Amino acid sequence: MAIVLGPNRYGKAETRLVRVARDGDTHTLTDLNVSVALAGDLTATHLTGDNSAVLPTDTMKNTVYAFARDGVGEPEAFGLRLARHFVQTLGHIDTATVTIESYGWQRLGPHSFQRSGDLTRTATVTVNPAGTQVVSGLSDLVLLNSTASEFHGFVKDRYTTLSETSDRILATAVNARWRHTGADTDWAGSFDGVRDALVSAFVNTYSHSLQQTLLSMGSVVLHRCSEVAEVRLALPNKHHYLVDLAPFGLDNPGEVFMAGDRPYGLIEGTVTRDDAPAATADWYM
């Protein structure tokens, strides 16, 4: 039996970067979590410990900070700068993937800020021999409809206890990733457009299932945002259970609920254009 080295990569994970742009008395804050992964001809270091082709991961961290000195801009643009740098300067590296989480801060004054906890913006840039791929995203965008949602007509077997309902709370924490058709766009405008499309579709879809809502959300994004090739969504169903107040001599006309934590339903799916350009690298939620 032959044993061979399979696909591999290495890098520096979760380099925390905070940059303050000082424009006179008014400052701008950028808060990122940057991960770099490189792949290429790295066989020697695995087989013999020969590190002559290994760029230290500490150097990758330093590169992130050095590049930030010239400005960061949008996460996608910063990721493109870094990924292209590693591929262009390291002859034995053919693939660089830069993944960025961007944390929002709300301005309170010229130099005062409050951390925004509504969502986390993400970007993953991959540069490889097949081309350049940019995937933007967001996580933990919590949305809730207090009505306009039903769930009935589902499969029932001997273990089914869930009752059908024609009126329920529908809530989720949206985790979305979308692949761009190219590597040159208005990243900030595109992110705002996709986020607004996701929210609009959730608000305006009368839902018979969270699956139906997922397709509606992805479809609205593709209709509104021509720069997006496909959308991947993971929607946890944040269950809300009507509390039985009868033991206290009280009715509950759909007003008092217990918010469930776990377990939860998880609905996942991809919505794509039939003429979308093929992906040049694997990408996941």
Side-chain angles (χ1 to χ4, degrees):
M1 178 185 67
I3 298 175
V4 298
L5 176 67
N8 61 88
R9 64 180 188 175
Y10 82 109
K12 198 69 164 182
E14 300 197 27
T15 296
R16 293 290 285 113
L17 166 65
V18 175
R19 189 182 193 280
V20 179
R22 302 176 183 273
D23 184 13
D25 293 333
T26 301
H27 298 171
T28 301
L29 193 67
T30 303
D31 186 357
L32 304 180
N33 193 26
V34 183
S35 295
V36 176
L38 305 181
D41 184 5
L42 298 167
T43 303
T45 188
H46 289 88
L47 295 184
T48 67
D50 177 0
N51 295 322
S52 59
V54 177
L55 181 75
T57 65
D58 188 68
T59 304
M60 300 178 197
K61 175 204 69 180
N62 294 340
T63 304
V64 170
Y65 291 132
F67 273 44
R69 178 62 182 86
D70 297 328
V72 174
E74 299 301 319
E76 292 86 352
F78 192 55
L80 282 164
R81 287 176 58 202
L82 288 166
R84 287 167 172 165
H85 163 78
F86 289 118
V87 169
Q88 291 168 0
T89 59
L90 299 170
H92 58 287
I93 294 297
D94 58 30
T95 301
T97 301
V98 178
T99 302
I100 298 176
E101 295 176 330
S102 177
Y103 308 113
W105 289 82
Q106 177 184 351
R107 181 179 296 282
L108 300 178
H111 55 264
S112 301
F113 305 86
Q114 175 182 322
R115 174 71 179 266
S116 300
D118 55 342
L119 60 84
T120 298
R121 179 176 173 180
T122 65
T124 301
V125 175
T126 302
V127 175
N128 63 18
T132 299
Q133 178 173 285
V134 180
V135 175
S136 300
L138 58 82
S139 60
D140 298 323
L141 172 61
V142 180
L143 303 174
L144 184 150
N145 283 332
S146 57
T147 190
S149 175
E150 305 180 10
F151 190 57
H152 51 77
F154 47 80
V155 174
K156 302 179 184 67
D157 66 13
R158 61 182 294 191
Y159 304 112
T160 301
T161 59
L162 184 69
S163 300
E164 297 190 347
T165 179
S166 60
D167 187 10
R168 66 170 180 171
I169 289 177
L170 182 67
T172 188
V174 179
N175 292 291
R177 300 290 183 270
W178 53 94
R179 181 170 62 88
H180 293 270
T181 56
D184 182 18
T185 192
D186 172 10
W187 303 116
S190 177
F191 178 83
D192 290 343
V194 172
R195 180 196 58 206
D196 292 347
L198 291 168
V199 173
S200 176
F202 182 86
V203 170
N204 294 298
T205 298
Y206 190 101
S207 179
H208 291 85
S209 68
L210 191 49
Q211 287 90 335
Q212 178 189 15
T213 300
L214 182 150
L215 178 59
S216 175
M217 294 171 75
S219 298
V220 171
V221 169
L222 295 182
H223 281 304
R224 292 190 183 181
C225 306
S226 60
E227 74 280 8
V228 176
E230 61 180 311
V231 185
R232 294 183 179 178
L233 292 162
L235 304 179
N237 195 340
K238 300 179 74 68
H239 302 296
H240 290 71
Y241 304 103
L242 193 69
V243 176
D244 181 10
L245 300 179
F248 319 122
L250 301 171
D251 66 352
N252 188 1
E255 296 180 348
V256 180
F257 295 86
M258 178 185 67
D261 179 14
R262 60 195 64 179
Y264 53 85
L266 180 60
I267 312 303
E268 300 175 289
T270 301
V271 185
T272 186
R273 302 180 189 277
D274 58 8
D275 60 349
T280 58
D282 292 334
W283 60 291
Y284 305 97
M285 288 301 303

